Amino acid sequence: MSTNGVETTYFRRVSRWKLLLIILTVALVLTIIISLNVGFAQIPFSTILQILAKRIPFLGSLVGSSNIPYSAERIILEIRMPRILAGALVGAALSAAGVVYQGIFKNPMADPYVLGVSAGAAVGASLAIVFGIGFTLFGVNTMPILAFAGSLVAVFIVYNISRVGSRVPVTTLLLSGIAVSIFLSAIVAILQVIAGKKLHAVVFWLMGGFSGVEWKDVWAILPLIFIGTVIIYFFARDLNILSLGEETAQNLGVDVEKVKKVLLIFGSLVTAAAVSISGLIGFIGLMIPHITRIMIGPDHRVLLPTSIIVGASFLVICDAVARVIVSPVELPVGVITALSGGPFFIYLLRKKKESYGV
Amino acid sequence: MAVLTVDGIDCYYGSVRVLENVCLSVEERDFVGVLGPNGSGKTTLLRSISRTLKPHRGVIFLNDADIYALKSVEVAKQMAVVPQDNVIAFNFTALDIVLMGRNPHLSRFQMESEKDIAIARKTMELTNTWHLAERPLNELSGGERQRVIIARALAQEPKVLLLDEPTVHLDINNQLEIMDLLKDLCIRRELIVLAVFHDFNLAARYCDSAILLNDGKIISMGNLNAVLTSENIRKVFQVDAVVKKHPITNSLYIIPISMPKPSLSRKLSVHLICGAGTGTTLMKILAEEGYNVTAGVLNVLDTDYETAQLLKIPVTSEAPFSPITEETYKVNLEMMSKASAVVITAVPFGYANLQNLEAAKEALERGIPTFVIEEVPIEQRDFTKGKAEKHLTELKSKGAIFVKNQNELLSLLDILEDKLNMTKELSSKIPGHFKSETNSCEVDEVDGSKSSNF
């Protein structure tokens, strides 16, 4: 019956979403495996597969391991693997936070850094680098910890500047985010001036990258990012309704102030976790949500997971390119994200201008 | 039993009090219009009832529960709001938007089921928007969008529907469609509809009762006939208005009559020969422009007669449907003679009002300037077998001025007014003095380049 067309299309859309997510997840896994092959040291792909298979329970015992060079196993498992997984995690976290902030602020320019996370982290990291504050504390690198702390302090300040009683008006939030960021950037500038020989390290951190990332860094941010994004996903439908405006959302039964608070807290948390190990990687958090929205529509229940997976894959690819494009020198990954993503985004914008509904 | 009760609320924006001691109660199937001038607190009342703006004092009950003590999701199951502006940040389809109305009925992890789609479809069919289901909301026209938003509100399955100017920015056909829909919902679905309106006539046609707000206070409340009175409208809007029953819809309708501008007052008095509504606009314009207007002879019950009564214009009148008697003729002529100009509108002439033209002739002979508006050729409105036409030709030959329309007349009256002022000045001063004054004026103009006060 033709009158059932709309209903059928609707439910078909939902099942198409599920299929899309499965395909994208498989693509992410493949991207990770393939990018393990990318690097200065040439390691045959078959060897990589062998190394990976060995780690899989039961299957591992069936794979002969005698012909795997020890150095190759070290490079793959101890250097490339944590680095790639960190890239995936950071890409996922920044994309998720981007979706959240664009949804809350209903502003196409919103990105994970609008609330001052980046500037706060920059101050923390610069302090750690310039003053070398107990460079290792109990065997833990303090730089990510200071960056993480710095970003949370910045968000806390921004949030409290904007708060009116129990309400947080988004326009004030946006503006105080900008104000605090500018202030903190000035502090970073001062730190750069007095950095002396360490200036290079500060600048490199600010440009973002994954060199030197270890397993312990991955383990530190994994639970934060995993729990944070899962909680954010619980509020996906509320994000849809928030796009109707806060008063209307309230009238539709959304506890707007509570939802906003939860989303801001966890959005900032995953961003801070990401930034703490990767430095400031631009573009991802701003553009990935837009790109996926143009491709699959504005429904946050699918937009959020899709953006997470696409963002993760994209950053893994960008990092792989950054490692080898001007080998043996490594480019900051932020350069690659902007160089490749910018033109692609402009292409999409021109092609599907009419459906760009922001 | 009242479903919705507002008990003595005061609302503030900052330190400004916007609502003061507002009390009202609404029962099932009520269609209530909230009326009042801009800034009177209409939208604020709606916002506080919709649990958006908490009153500083007073309580709002929805089925005996204080709405500000309920969770927003509980309120959303019983009350839906159609806001005034519906800008959507992202490109959701109409169906997506309507399904968002199911939010209060869904738990956090629940996807919309077939039942929700069915409800959305039902409400969209009711608002005649189902065919738009897959179109992005932002691409729809104003009327379509408004109907989708109403469908969303209905998808909440509410008992109370609040609307903020639901028909503003819409064409008349869309206005009527939305109002018909609301009325129908009210009757068939036992819905309470509480809506803010700007358009009194639209509200009067559909609402059962009304609340008239001014300055945050309820001025009048209850049955439409009691609320929509010309006294209330004058009190709230400082505008004189006529309130009448419409002959076709049998509902109240209101015609605002703007007040004469007090700054304008002219010496010129104008007598109108009109009738059958041909003088109505002219009377209003002349009165507003500050002319002293008289009219006659008009039959009682004539449209122009009623307008004259409303504008408090002196009229020589005759009984309904009766020819002009000798006596009335004289009274009218007397009135005409006092005027500084006589204006004959494009009124149809029959045997009952033919004498008005004779009177005009006599006035013209007495030296009163006479103007004839010839918007409609006399052949088309002469029902006296050429007699009226003959009178007009005679008037023309005696110096009556024929004008094409009202605007031409007004500009000629302006000139006449200036002339009249001048002659009055002339008569009050000796001619020589007047002349020297003009000369000095010219001198002033010549010296203008040197003199600083020019």
Side-chain angles (χ1 to χ4, degrees):
Chain A
M1 216 167 81
S2 66
T3 44
N4 272 331
V6 177
E7 286 97 329
T8 318
T9 319
Y10 184 84
F11 286 112
R12 201 177 292 153
R13 186 175 74 171
V14 175
S15 47
R16 222 175 37 230
W17 288 352
K18 286 175 187 157
L19 185 68
L20 178 76
L21 285 177
I22 292 168
I23 292 171
L24 285 173
T25 311
V26 172
L28 173 63
V29 172
L30 288 177
T31 310
I32 289 172
I33 293 173
I34 292 167
S35 61
L36 280 170
N37 194 28
V38 181
F40 185 63
Q42 298 294 322
I43 300 168
F45 199 62
S46 57
T47 314
I48 291 171
L49 289 179
Q50 262 179 320
I51 294 168
L52 289 180
K54 226 176 86 178
R55 310 294 293 189
I56 300 168
F58 309 116
L59 190 69
S61 54
L62 302 173
V63 182
S65 60
S66 51
N67 55 346
I68 304 170
Y70 175 71
S71 65
E73 197 171 341
R74 287 282 300 168
I75 288 173
I76 295 298
L77 293 180
E78 298 303 322
I79 297 173
R80 289 192 190 163
M81 196 57 146
R83 175 181 184 142
I84 288 166
L85 289 182
L89 278 174
V90 169
L94 293 179
S95 304
V99 169
V100 166
Y101 288 154
Q102 284 171 14
I104 290 180
F105 293 112
K106 296 185 278 296
N107 186 326
M109 291 308 292
D111 77 351
Y113 303 149
V114 281
L115 296 186
V117 171
S118 52
V123 171
S126 308
L127 280 174
I129 295 167
V130 175
F131 297 111
I133 301 169
F135 214 66
T136 49
L137 190 70
F138 310 119
V140 183
N141 191 344
T142 52
M143 196 179 75
I145 294 174
L146 273 178
F148 185 71
S151 52
L152 289 191
V153 168
V155 174
F156 182 77
I157 293 170
V158 168
Y159 184 85
N160 278 293
I161 290 174
S162 325
R163 200 162 53 89
V164 186
S166 63
R167 294 182 54 243
V168 195
V170 288
T171 326
T172 328
L173 208 53
L174 215 51
L175 292 175
S176 51
I178 291 169
V180 169
S181 293
I182 290 171
F183 180 79
L184 293 178
S185 303
I187 293 179
V188 174
I190 294 169
L191 289 171
Q192 280 176 309
V193 170
I194 62 170
K197 282 178 190 160
K198 291 166 181 165
L199 177 63
H200 178 260
V202 174
V203 171
F204 211 77
W205 187 89
L206 289 178
M207 286 197 285
F210 296 99
S211 52
V213 169
E214 297 169 37
W215 274 111
K216 66 176 189 322
D217 298 315
V218 175
W219 292 127
I221 65 166
L222 177 69
L224 286 175
I225 290 175
F226 180 76
I227 293 168
T229 46
V230 167
I231 289 174
I232 287 170
Y233 185 73
F234 291 164
F235 293 88
R237 196 171 67 226
D238 303 70
L239 273 173
N240 286 348
I241 297 169
L242 273 174
S243 69
L244 307 176
E246 290 187 11
E247 270 194 41
T248 302
Q250 183 80 37
N251 295 332
L252 284 165
V254 176
D255 191 345
V256 172
E257 290 304 323
K258 189 190 100 187
V259 168
K260 244 165 42 182
K261 238 168 270 177
V262 170
L263 288 173
L264 288 174
I265 288 170
F266 286 98
S268 307
L269 196 69
V270 297
T271 311
V275 168
S276 72
I277 64 158
S278 72
L280 303 186
I281 297 174
F283 181 80
I284 296 264
L286 177 66
M287 295 301 171
I288 293 293
H290 283 308
I291 289 170
T292 41
R293 197 180 293 115
I294 287 172
M295 292 191 304
I296 57 146
D299 195 321
H300 288 85
R301 289 172 294 184
V302 61
L303 178 66
L304 191 64
T306 312
S307 293
I308 287 171
I309 300 170
V310 170
S313 312
F314 183 69
L315 196 52
V316 168
I317 295 169
C318 286
D319 183 45
V321 174
R323 289 202 300 265
V324 292
I325 194 159
V326 285
S327 180
V329 184
E330 239 185 65
L331 273 184
V333 71
V335 173
I336 305 297
T337 56
L339 273 181
S340 57
F344 177 61
F345 181 60
I346 291 167
Y347 161 75
L348 275 182
L349 210 54
R350 299 287 306 172
K351 193 172 153 233
K352 293 194 77 177
K353 218 181 338 189
E354 74 278 5
S355 64
Y356 181 71
V358 180
Chain B
M1 193 200 76
V3 176
L4 180 71
T5 309
V6 175
D7 191 8
I9 57 165
D10 284 358
C11 282
Y12 287 79
Y13 286 128
S15 60
V16 182
R17 183 164 59 195
V18 201
L19 286 180
E20 187 181 343
N21 197 23
V22 170
C23 298
L24 58 99
S25 70
V26 192
E27 283 166 36
E28 261 169 26
R29 296 180 205 236
D30 264 356
F31 189 164
V32 187
V34 181
L35 306 168
N38 293 332
S40 58
K42 303 183 298 270
T43 302
T44 308
L45 177 62
L46 222 59
R47 289 183 75 206
S48 73
I49 293 176
S50 66
R51 202 181 171 280
T52 309
L53 183 74
K54 194 173 185 204
H56 278 52
R57 198 178 63 85
V59 193
I60 296 163
F61 294 104
L62 182 62
N63 287 323
D64 288 333
D66 177 357
I67 59 159
Y68 284 91
L70 291 172
K71 284 187 163 188
S72 55
V73 71
E74 292 306 316
V75 177
K77 281 178 189 167
Q78 302 183 63
M79 187 154 66
V81 184
V82 176
Q84 199 180 121
D85 60 325
N86 286 297
V87 184
I88 311 282
F90 301 111
N91 229 359
F92 286 104
T93 66
L95 179 61
D96 287 333
I97 299 289
V98 175
L99 281 171
M100 288 184 196
R102 296 302 298 157
N103 183 60
H105 300 275
L106 295 173
S107 73
R108 183 157 295 288
F109 304 105
Q110 221 175 337
M111 287 292 275
E112 291 87 356
S113 66
E114 296 195 10
K115 181 188 152 221
D116 297 305
I117 304 267
I119 288 168
R121 177 175 182 161
K122 210 169 71 189
T123 65
M124 290 182 87
E125 280 171 348
L126 207 62
T127 56
N128 191 21
T129 50
W130 181 243
H131 61 287
L132 307 169
E134 288 170 319
R135 299 259 307 275
L137 188 83
N138 290 336
E139 289 174 14
L140 302 183
S141 75
E144 290 169 335
R145 198 180 315 175
Q146 188 67 293
R147 296 205 309 266
V148 171
I149 300 301
I150 293 175
R152 181 190 75 203
L154 295 178
Q156 287 174 249
E157 299 182 309
K159 295 185 183 67
V160 180
L161 186 60
L162 306 176
L163 304 101
D164 194 356
E165 302 204 14
T167 57
V168 80
H169 306 316
L170 297 186
D171 298 333
I172 41 167
N173 55 337
N174 282 317
Q175 288 186 3
L176 294 183
E177 197 174 341
I178 298 233
M179 293 303 277
D180 280 330
L181 170 69
L182 293 178
K183 186 82 191 174
D184 192 63
L185 290 169
C186 201
I187 297 167
R188 300 246 165 77
R189 316 229 144 196
E190 302 181 9
L191 208 64
I192 288 177
V193 178
L194 188 78
V196 168
F197 290 109
H198 238 116
D199 185 339
F200 272 50
N201 291 328
L202 205 62
R205 193 164 147 193
Y206 288 93
C207 294
D208 304 311
S209 56
I211 296 166
L212 184 63
L213 281 171
N214 191 28
D215 225 356
K217 282 171 265 192
I218 292 184
I219 300 297
S220 175
M221 180 168 61
N223 192 290
L224 273 180
N225 296 310
V227 175
L228 293 182
T229 60
S230 45
E231 294 89 83
N232 278 339
I233 290 166
R234 189 173 321 121
K235 206 192 293 178
V236 170
F237 290 92
Q238 291 87 44
V239 162
D240 278 327
V242 193
V243 180
K244 282 188 165 183
K245 282 253 179 198
H246 193 278
I248 297 167
T249 59
N250 199 35
S251 53
L252 289 178
Y253 76 99
I254 293 132
I255 308 161
I257 311 284
S258 45
M259 309 279 283
K261 292 162 199 151
S263 56
L264 283 167
S265 88
R266 299 181 190 238
K267 299 188 180 77
L268 206 68
S269 55
V270 180
H271 183 89
L272 283 180
I273 292 172
C274 52
T278 57
T280 298
T281 38
L282 194 56
M283 264 188 244
K284 189 170 164 284
I285 291 172
L286 289 176
E288 276 176 9
E289 291 277 323
Y291 289 102
N292 298 309
V293 188
T294 57
V297 179
L298 285 169
N299 288 103
V300 175
L301 291 187
D302 188 290
T303 324
D304 285 346
Y305 176 80
E306 288 183 10
T307 311
Q309 292 300 92
L310 219 73
L311 295 169
K312 301 184 176 70
I313 288 172
V315 181
T316 317
S317 61
E318 188 55 82
F321 305 109
S322 315
I324 299 166
T325 59
E326 194 55 36
E327 200 181 325
T328 331
Y329 177 84
K330 278 184 185 151
V331 175
N332 193 36
L333 192 59
E334 190 69 19
M335 201 180 232
M336 262 185 202
S337 312
K338 284 180 193 149
S340 12
V342 171
V343 174
I344 304 168
T345 65
V347 59
F349 284 102
Y351 290 107
N353 65 348
L354 196 59
Q355 277 125 304
N356 277 341
L357 283 179
E358 284 165 21
K361 247 185 340 192
E362 228 174 306
L364 186 60
E365 277 158 12
R366 291 182 191 182
I368 297 166
T370 302
F371 298 89
V372 180
I373 303 178
E374 248 197 333
E375 267 168 329
V376 185
I378 182 67
E379 305 87 63
Q380 289 174 28
R381 52 189 172 91
D382 181 2
F383 302 99
T384 55
K385 296 181 179 145
K387 284 189 183 137
E389 197 176 345
K390 223 179 89 198
H391 280 307
L392 279 183
T393 327
E394 264 177 67
L395 277 169
K396 199 170 193 173
S397 65
K398 283 180 180 161
I401 300 158
F402 280 60
V403 295
K404 282 194 290 293
N405 53 35
Q406 213 163 268
N407 292 347
E408 198 183 336
L409 172 78
L410 289 172
S411 66
L412 289 177
L413 285 179
D414 258 356
I415 295 168
L416 196 66
E417 163 91 16
D418 288 346
K419 239 191 218 165
L420 192 76
N421 288 342
M422 224 184 275
T423 26
K424 281 202 174 152
E425 264 174 57
L426 269 176
S427 61
S428 69
K429 292 164 187 165
I430 46 162
H433 184 194
F434 181 70
K435 201 165 186 189
S436 74
E437 200 179 61
T438 15
N439 283 344
S440 76
C441 255
E442 277 166 18
V443 171
D444 258 338
E445 248 173 300
V446 173
D447 288 348
S449 54
K450 287 179 226 157
S451 127
S452 60
N453 64 349
F454 190 75

